[in-house]
Amino acid sequence: MTSSAMQKICDFVDCSGATQDPDQLRYLAAQNGYLYFPGLLPVEDVLAVRRAILHIADRHSLLRAGLDVDEGIRKEGVYIDLEYDKPTPPALQRFYNEILSLRLFNAFPHHPMVMGLIESLLGEPIFVHPRHICHILFPGRFEHTTEPHQDFHPVGGTPNTWTVWISLGDCDSDLGGVAVACGSNRRGYLDNARVISGELLDNETEWHWNPFSCGDVLIFNSLTIHRGRDNITADRIRLSTSARYQTVREPVDAAALTPHWGWADWVELYADWEEDDLLKYYWQSLELNIRT
Ligand SMILES: O=C(O)CCC(=O)C(=O)O
């Protein structure tokens, strides 16, 4: 459930003009705590990931029969909630692990357009955490809308970590998406409980958000407060991905190198991949500064 209202909402600042200008990218990122690139990715590249995930959802009987799977319409009365504080039924774990084992899903955060941008932003060799996340929000499940938080709380490592959030498909105001508190990165690392409760946010907090079109890319710093917005549609599932990027040199928490949720290990997730696939364990060939 969203704990505090968003009184002030402005559109994201379009940073497309800065893609070839690292100084401008860094300036905007430092000022606003985020960068937004409408239409950065080819729509087909994003839709391919969406389709693959929805086909898994269909096999798990989560979608309404007789409709185009690509629409992502949930079966009447069916929903899944992924919760940190409650045990997750094994069938749901299997559903999520199937997504995590898709090669396409694991390759997506390595998209050259995204890697190129983060390299320009950070100005030195970078790597993407293999802990790639699929966000799945069923309609009307408002208590599962992501609360305001800074990613540094769960992710740790270096605060110079950047999350890339990508909507898998168009995301209008009914589907919600993600909003960021502009400039909140400049407040430093805050008490997570007080961010979640809304205590450290007020009516003057300037939230940036606008509908997302398929191919838009949102990048935010791990100190930037952001939140999900409710999915108020009648029957549409919201799908998005988030991956985290940093320099090879700076500290990374060991957990960032493990699969999301920990319901399977890499050996299980890679079971159907080609034996010599270079995407497997790609981070192990880097000289990382791992903190346990
Ligand atoms: O997609 C969402 O609902 C929340 C995403 C988020 O909070 C994150 O990527 O850190």
Side-chain angles (χ1 to χ4, degrees), residues 135 146 149 151 165 178 226 238 240 242 244:
H135 303 278
T146 307
H149 67 285
D151 275 0
W165 185 91
V178 157
H226 58 286
R238 179 165 97 224
S240 57
S242 68
R244 284 146 195 92

Side-chain angles (χ1 to χ4, degrees), residues 6 15 25 32 39 70 102-104 160 174 184-185 190 205 228 250 260:
M6 292 169 55
C15 302
L25 274 184
N32 299 335
D70 291 357
L102 283 174
R103 191 188 187 283
L104 191 62
N160 191 27
D174 284 357
S184 53
N185 54 310
L190 302 167
T205 303
E250 288 172 294
H260 187 223

Side-chain angles (χ1 to χ4, degrees), residues 29 33-34 118 121-122 160-164 219-221 243-245:
Y34 78 88
I118 305 280
L121 176 67
L122 298 183
N160 191 27
T161 297
W162 295 80
T163 295
V164 173
I219 303 176
F220 49 86
N221 179 254
R244 284 146 195 92
Y245 301 71

Side-chain angles (χ1 to χ4, degrees), residues 15-267:
C15 302
S16 309
T19 50
Q20 304 304 319
D21 183 347
D23 288 340
Q24 182 65 1
L25 274 184
R26 284 173 208 146
Y27 172 77
L28 290 167
Q31 276 304 111
N32 299 335
Y34 78 88
L35 298 164
Y36 171 65
F37 302 97
L40 181 79
L41 296 180
V43 168
E44 260 318 306
D45 295 359
V46 181
L47 288 183
V49 181
R50 173 182 170 85
R51 261 183 223 123
I53 293 170
L54 284 173
H55 276 88
I56 295 174
D58 193 35
R59 282 204 302 280
H60 283 257
S61 306
L62 298 171
L63 302 186
R64 193 180 303 164
L67 297 181
D68 185 352
V69 168
D70 291 357
E71 296 292 318
I73 306 296
R74 68 104 181 261
K75 188 190 271 188
E76 190 72 23
V78 165
Y79 56 85
I80 60 162
D81 297 324
L82 296 164
E83 297 172 289
Y84 282 100
D85 53 350
K86 296 204 184 106
T88 305
L92 227 158
Q93 295 188 13
R94 282 195 294 277
F95 163 65
Y96 193 72
N97 284 344
E98 270 189 53
I99 296 172
L100 293 192
S101 62
L102 283 174
R103 191 188 187 283
L104 191 62
F105 179 76
N106 287 273
F108 190 48
H110 298 259
H111 198 290
M113 305 290 287
V114 174
M115 292 298 274
L117 259 183
I118 305 280
E119 257 158 30
S120 296
L121 176 67
L122 298 183
E124 56 181 289
I126 60 151
F127 88 106
V128 48
H129 297 182
R131 174 174 287 220
H132 187 206
I133 299 178
C134 184
H135 303 278
I136 306 158
L137 189 67
F138 272 64
R141 306 302 296 163
F142 305 140
E143 65 276 32
H144 300 286
T145 301
T146 307
E147 303 275 12
H149 67 285
Q150 297 173 303
D151 275 0
F152 190 64
H153 177 72
V155 176
T158 168
N160 191 27
T161 297
W162 295 80
T163 295
V164 173
W165 185 91
I166 298 175
S167 177
L168 295 178
D170 293 341
C171 180
D172 58 22
S173 61
D174 284 357
L175 267 181
V178 157
V180 301
C182 184
S184 53
N185 54 310
R186 288 185 266 123
R187 297 173 66 179
Y189 183 40
L190 302 167
D191 183 311
N192 188 55
R194 296 175 70 211
V195 177
I196 286 184
S197 69
E199 193 187 327
L200 294 179
L201 301 164
D202 58 28
N203 293 346
E204 293 310 306
T205 303
E206 190 176 298
W207 292 98
H208 284 197
W209 175 89
N210 49 235
F212 295 85
S213 294
C214 188
D216 292 0
V217 171
L218 176 66
I219 303 176
F220 49 86
N221 179 254
S222 74
L223 296 178
T224 303
I225 300 173
H226 58 286
R227 67 195 299 170
R229 301 196 69 192
D230 291 340
N231 174 356
I232 62 168
T233 67
D235 49 16
R236 286 186 284 150
I237 301 169
R238 179 165 97 224
L239 292 177
S240 57
T241 63
S242 68
R244 284 146 195 92
Y245 301 71
Q246 63 168 95
T247 65
V248 169
R249 176 181 55 84
E250 288 172 294
V252 55
D253 193 290
L257 308 176
T258 62
H260 187 223
W261 289 110
W263 295 326
D265 59 24
W266 292 118
V267 174

